[in-house]
Amino acid sequence: MEEEKKKGRRSREEEGKTETGRREEGEGKKIAHLSVVSAIPSKAHQSKEQNEKGKRRKRRRGEGEGKKEMGRRWEGDRKETGGRRREEGDGKETGRRREEGGGKKENGRTGEEGEGKKEKGRRGLPGLPLQLRSSKYLPLCNRVLSGKEQPLLIKSLVWCFFVFVTAPYMATTGASSDESARFTKNETLVETSDESARFTKNETLVETSDESARFTKNGTFIENSDDYPRFMKNETLDSSTNKLTLESIRQYLIELEDTIIFNLIERAKFPLNSPTYDESSLKIPGFSGSLVQYIVKETEVLQAKVGRYESPEEQPFFPDDLPEPVVIPYNNPQELHPVGATININETIWKMYFGQLLPLFVAEGDDGNYGSTAVCDLNCLQALSRRIHYGKYVAEVKYRDARQDYVPLIHAQDRDALMKLLTFESVEEMVKRRVEKKAMVFGQDVSLDDKGNNWKYKIDPSILPRLYGEWVMPLTKDVEVEYLLWCLEK
Ligand SMILES: O=C(O)C(=O)C[C@]1(C(=O)O)C=C[C@@H](O)C=C1
């Protein structure tokens, strides 16, 4: 009871709105029981394949063999990261420095020292340049060779040699003390860029966090990193503080409602077009599956290359064999526990979309626009998936705001209690009402005369509260619970 009160207080503070009621325990259980849970790659449920994928993605993110690192929170984690990075960085940079420096020294020796030795052999006049050896200068040479002016001359020659030969050479090859300054600067940048991060940064970010870094992790050369697109800036950070807050995340979820509704409206322009989903009607050599599967899969391959799946809220529907990014990802602070990157419930979202949602809002029929239909499906799926996987961020901020309430439930691995704690029924009601209203507004026919038919909508608005109430919000909460269950993992 006391906990309920506390939670009520918190929710009012967080939302600045009156929390009308709390979810009954039975309801929490119902949601936790959704079949989706089995699709979540938790320890208990991860298939071997998913496990492998998780490991691969973790490795790609540099979270390493790192259960230890994964679990380390806050400052401890940062120190560890800094240390590891410094070691790695040093290793690489020293290697590079050694190579470059070595190469230059080698050059110097074969060029300058080598020639000196040859001349010495040729004329027997140590340290004297060729032009000084003409007969005109011989008396002077003799004086120098035999006497007191020798040290002064040698000093002058060394100075001249440095000014006219060594310095220009160093300037053209870049082999100067500047070299070491550049390495030092890299390290500093890496360290500072880490400041706002909560968890271990991934290797790719470490390697590319410096603007001057020009290689992605897989070795692709990038001429000027600024010219390349950067998937995906975390748009939920509060614009004034650049921090993650429940308010800023909720604001972003509201914006995503627009994206979802517009995409549904676009899809509703086409009838069902069932051949789009027929695995036997597509004859693409080397691929077995439907047109929609093909388009989603190939789009994901392309988007993986430009770094879409480097963001934990972006999850692929076909995660196997995705290529590494070839561009520098946006250097977002890593706000989530690394387990966030492994939670992917797209299998459930796919089934929900094609099995339950689609038949609700598209007309029967076939107009032959299968490619366009599949692209619309792709857009709907990606928008829904992004929205639902944002639950990771929601869970993270809720945890940060009320650790004292969450930690015991996480230790007890109590799904139902976690579900109850993170549920705000009044917020859910508001969401449902808002999406219905948006569908009415966005789905109206707009005309300049009064003949417009304002009550004929492009998509039935009543589908929206259903979509959110039955699937989107419950699935978001499943993601939240899953994240919380593992977010203390060491
Ligand atoms: O806003 C929150 O607190 C959320 O957790 C998000 C969300 C949602 O999916 O919209 C989910 C659960 C809450 O009951 C309310 C809303």
Side-chain angles (χ1 to χ4, degrees):
M1 209 42 211
E2 189 50 40
E3 211 168 61
E4 290 275 312
K5 274 189 207 153
K6 261 195 273 166
K7 191 186 156 201
R9 270 202 303 280
R10 237 192 355 272
S11 82
R12 277 189 291 279
E13 282 162 18
E14 284 159 354
E15 298 159 39
K17 291 178 189 90
T18 316
E19 177 68 27
T20 50
R22 192 117 326 280
R23 165 175 291 272
E24 292 305 313
E25 204 162 338
E27 207 175 336
K29 272 184 193 142
K30 205 171 85 198
I31 288 169
H33 197 65
L34 280 173
S35 62
V36 65
V37 175
S38 65
I40 297 176
S42 68
K43 267 195 181 159
H45 302 99
Q46 245 174 355
S47 70
K48 204 173 154 215
E49 212 173 79
Q50 281 167 322
N51 239 327
E52 271 313 303
K53 189 210 136 211
K55 276 189 213 153
R56 189 175 65 82
R57 288 191 65 76
K58 270 187 256 170
R59 269 200 302 278
R60 202 162 78 203
R61 287 167 196 283
E63 286 141 14
E65 308 313 318
K67 274 202 173 175
K68 260 189 203 156
E69 276 170 24
M70 263 174 68
R72 237 170 251 138
R73 287 178 168 256
W74 312 108
E75 290 79 9
D77 194 19
R78 264 184 236 146
K79 268 183 214 149
E80 178 64 23
T81 314
R84 194 159 55 97
R85 193 172 308 131
R86 232 174 282 123
E87 267 167 38
E88 285 171 2
D90 272 350
K92 275 175 206 148
E93 287 168 4
T94 314
R96 219 168 18 184
R97 242 195 320 258
R98 234 182 273 129
E99 265 171 39
E100 287 171 8
K104 275 157 205 154
K105 261 192 204 155
E106 241 355 273
N107 283 344
R109 262 200 304 277
T110 50
E112 289 131 29
E113 288 172 21
E115 211 178 308
K117 272 180 205 154
K118 253 195 253 163
E119 282 170 13
K120 190 170 145 188
R122 221 186 286 145
R123 290 285 189 114
L125 297 173
L128 278 187
L130 211 54
Q131 58 270 41
L132 287 185
R133 296 180 209 155
S134 67
S135 56
K136 186 172 153 195
Y137 294 107
L138 264 179
L140 173 66
C141 292
N142 285 337
R143 257 175 47 217
V144 166
L145 285 174
S146 62
K148 52 191 176 177
E149 284 164 51
Q150 191 176 9
L152 179 66
L153 184 70
I154 288 173
K155 265 191 210 161
S156 309
L157 288 173
V158 168
W159 186 83
C160 285
F161 185 77
F162 178 77
V163 168
F164 295 113
V165 180
T166 313
Y169 171 78
M170 284 163 77
T172 52
T173 57
S176 68
S177 57
D178 223 24
E179 189 68 9
S180 56
R182 194 143 56 89
F183 284 116
T184 314
K185 196 174 165 220
N186 277 355
E187 275 175 25
T188 319
L189 285 176
V190 170
E191 297 262 304
T192 24
S193 66
D194 201 36
E195 272 317 292
S196 57
R198 182 178 161 218
F199 292 106
T200 320
K201 287 227 167 176
N202 73 42
E203 270 173 34
T204 318
L205 295 186
V206 171
E207 281 182 22
T208 59
S209 61
D210 178 358
E211 281 307 303
S212 68
R214 301 203 295 182
F215 288 92
T216 59
K217 208 179 147 212
N218 69 4
T220 311
F221 182 69
I222 287 182
E223 188 72 53
N224 175 359
S225 61
D226 285 342
D227 293 344
Y228 283 76
R230 291 183 172 205
F231 257 101
M232 315 263 317
K233 187 168 188 233
N234 188 334
E235 292 167 64
T236 51
L237 301 180
D238 185 286
S239 53
S240 52
T241 60
N242 214 29
K243 291 226 163 77
L244 204 60
T245 64
L246 188 52
E247 208 192 347
S248 65
I249 293 172
R250 281 183 175 158
Q251 188 51 43
Y252 187 66
L253 295 184
I254 291 173
E255 286 167 26
L256 278 180
E257 290 166 3
D258 303 2
T259 313
I260 290 171
I261 295 167
F262 280 124
N263 282 321
L264 295 180
I265 290 174
E266 282 299 298
R267 176 61 187 86
K269 286 179 183 168
F270 301 103
L272 183 60
N273 281 338
S274 54
T276 313
Y277 316 109
D278 180 0
E279 301 197 359
S280 61
S281 61
L282 187 69
K283 306 260 179 297
I284 293 181
F287 180 80
S288 87
S290 65
L291 180 63
V292 76
Q293 285 171 332
Y294 183 73
I295 287 183
V296 173
K297 196 170 194 296
E298 291 300 311
T299 304
E300 289 185 341
V301 167
L302 173 67
Q303 294 187 339
K305 287 188 190 166
V306 291
R308 182 179 192 124
Y309 304 110
E310 299 308 295
S311 309
E313 69 277 19
E314 292 292 352
Q315 293 296 325
F317 287 84
F318 295 91
D320 297 330
D321 307 321
L322 280 179
E324 293 291 328
V326 295
V327 297
I328 297 172
Y330 196 89
N331 195 3
N332 287 315
Q334 200 149 331
E335 300 278 359
L336 299 183
H337 185 285
V339 78
T342 70
I343 297 172
N344 179 345
I345 63 162
N346 275 345
E347 220 179 296
T348 307
I349 295 172
W350 181 281
K351 283 185 193 148
M352 176 277 286
Y353 177 79
F354 290 111
Q356 292 166 285
L357 180 61
L358 196 60
L360 286 182
F361 75 96
V362 294
E364 280 294 326
D366 185 337
D367 69 359
N369 283 312
Y370 310 135
S372 308
T373 300
V375 170
C376 288
D377 288 328
L378 164 73
N379 292 336
C380 291
L381 284 167
Q382 287 190 327
L384 287 166
S385 173
R386 186 172 170 76
R387 196 295 177 186
I388 289 165
H389 287 106
Y390 249 94
K392 299 167 189 181
Y393 288 97
V394 183
E396 174 63 28
V397 286
K398 283 183 177 171
Y399 166 83
R400 287 184 199 179
D401 290 348
R403 281 161 209 254
Q404 68 288 356
D405 299 337
Y406 281 98
V407 169
L409 302 182
I410 295 169
H411 281 142
Q413 293 284 287
D414 191 339
R415 280 179 184 271
D416 292 350
L418 283 169
M419 183 63 85
K420 203 169 160 212
L421 187 60
L422 57 80
T423 295
F424 295 93
E425 283 192 345
S426 63
V427 177
E428 293 187 19
E429 281 312 309
M430 263 175 10
V431 171
K432 285 195 273 182
R433 278 194 285 125
R434 189 173 51 236
V435 290
E436 183 168 23
K437 190 169 178 187
K438 281 183 178 181
M440 288 176 186
V441 175
F442 302 161
Q444 281 177 31
D445 266 341
V446 177
S447 67
L448 292 177
D449 53 36
D450 291 337
K451 289 180 198 147
N453 192 351
N454 282 353
W455 53 92
K456 190 169 167 278
Y457 301 111
K458 291 173 180 158
I459 182 174
D460 175 2
S462 70
I463 288 171
L464 268 299
R466 206 170 148 197
L467 165 63
Y468 270 74
E470 284 183 35
W471 301 301
V472 172
M473 291 192 287
L475 291 178
T476 304
K477 290 195 287 185
D478 280 333
V479 169
E480 289 184 43
V481 170
E482 198 60 30
Y483 178 83
L484 289 166
L485 284 174
W486 303 109
C487 79
L488 293 179
E489 191 79 347
K490 299 272 183 246

